[in-house]
Amino acid sequence: MKNKFSQFFPLEIQFFAEDGGEANTEQSGEEANGGTEQMYTEADVQKLIADKLAEAETNWTQKLEDAKSEAEKLAKLSKEEKAAHEEQKRIAALEEREAAVARRELEAETLKLLSDKQIPDSVLGLVIGEDADETKKNVDTFKKIFDAAVQTAVESRMAGTTPRTGSGSSGNHESSIAEQFKKALGGM
């Protein structure tokens, strides 16, 4: 049973089944999992692979066309225009890198701020803004809302009757302990 995948990755896999394999392995897999796990057929897998390859080919084709149009554009430009164009591309790439570095620094600062305010790091995507001021404002707002929600949840769980303390008698607590000792010692 040769397929497109096996020509790139030849594998020799032995199935540990008594009479030939595939039907028994699928059936035993369903029985072991109670029939709840979805099994993919080879046709499904081949379709998924073909879809991914088509998507990748489309992306490669687009990149190739972009590169060709860029080359044609550069061929029409004079030496000075080419140099200016290359400088613009270099500046754009530098600005993109600077923006990425600034974003990572902002994320690091935000993580520190979240840690200081005892807020889980998982909310980073919710509170991070365009700059440090906006991010700090978002963190403060989130903290207020989070604390209010926690307080409400605690109060709702604690709602009910207040437990009684003490023995219920309205006398002196020390005298009742002394009486209990007397009873325990046999009236001495």
Side-chain angles (χ1 to χ4, degrees), residues 15-18 21-37 39:
F15 292 101
F16 296 100
E18 290 180 9
E22 284 185 29
N24 288 341
T25 57
E26 288 179 18
Q27 185 180 24
S28 64
E30 287 178 16
E31 291 171 1
N33 294 328
T36 60
E37 185 176 314
M39 301 297 288

Side-chain angles (χ1 to χ4, degrees), residues 7-188:
Q7 72 185 12
F8 296 108
F9 300 100
L11 299 174
E12 295 179 18
I13 299 176
Q14 178 181 2
F15 292 101
F16 296 100
E18 290 180 9
D19 43 284
E22 284 185 29
N24 288 341
T25 57
E26 288 179 18
Q27 185 180 24
S28 64
E30 287 178 16
E31 291 171 1
N33 294 328
T36 60
E37 185 176 314
Q38 181 179 0
M39 301 297 288
Y40 291 103
T41 64
E42 187 172 338
D44 294 337
V45 173
Q46 291 298 326
K47 184 178 182 303
L48 289 172
I49 292 172
D51 291 345
K52 290 294 182 182
L53 286 175
E55 182 181 331
E57 184 178 356
T58 303
N59 290 339
W60 294 331
T61 305
Q62 182 64 38
K63 287 181 181 179
L64 182 62
E65 289 174 5
D66 291 345
K68 283 181 181 179
S69 65
E70 181 74 19
E72 290 172 2
K73 182 178 168 183
L74 286 175
K76 294 177 184 177
L77 298 177
S78 68
K79 224 176 202 186
E80 294 83 24
E81 291 173 330
K82 285 181 185 179
H85 180 72
E86 290 297 322
E87 183 68 18
Q88 285 178 335
K89 283 176 57 177
R90 189 178 65 80
I91 290 172
L94 284 174
E95 288 174 351
E96 186 177 319
R97 287 182 191 149
E98 286 177 5
V101 168
R103 180 72 176 183
R104 283 192 297 268
E105 288 175 354
L106 182 61
E107 286 176 358
E109 290 174 16
T110 304
L111 285 172
K112 184 179 181 306
L113 182 63
L114 290 174
S115 176
D116 291 345
K117 293 193 179 263
Q118 299 176 344
I119 299 174
D121 293 347
S122 59
V123 300
L124 176 68
L126 299 172
V127 297
I128 197 161
E130 293 296 320
D131 58 6
D133 293 333
E134 182 181 344
T135 300
K136 184 170 180 359
K137 187 176 98 177
N138 291 346
V139 169
D140 291 340
T141 303
F142 181 83
K143 177 73 171 162
K144 288 177 189 174
I145 293 169
F146 185 73
D147 288 345
V150 167
Q151 184 64 30
T152 303
V154 167
E155 289 173 358
S156 69
R157 287 189 181 210
M158 298 300 289
T161 60
T162 306
R164 288 192 244 160
T165 59
S167 63
S169 63
S170 61
N172 186 0
H173 186 61
E174 291 180 11
S175 65
S176 67
I177 292 176
E179 290 174 13
Q180 289 178 1
F181 273 124
K182 284 183 184 178
K183 286 182 182 177
L185 295 175
M188 293 178 135

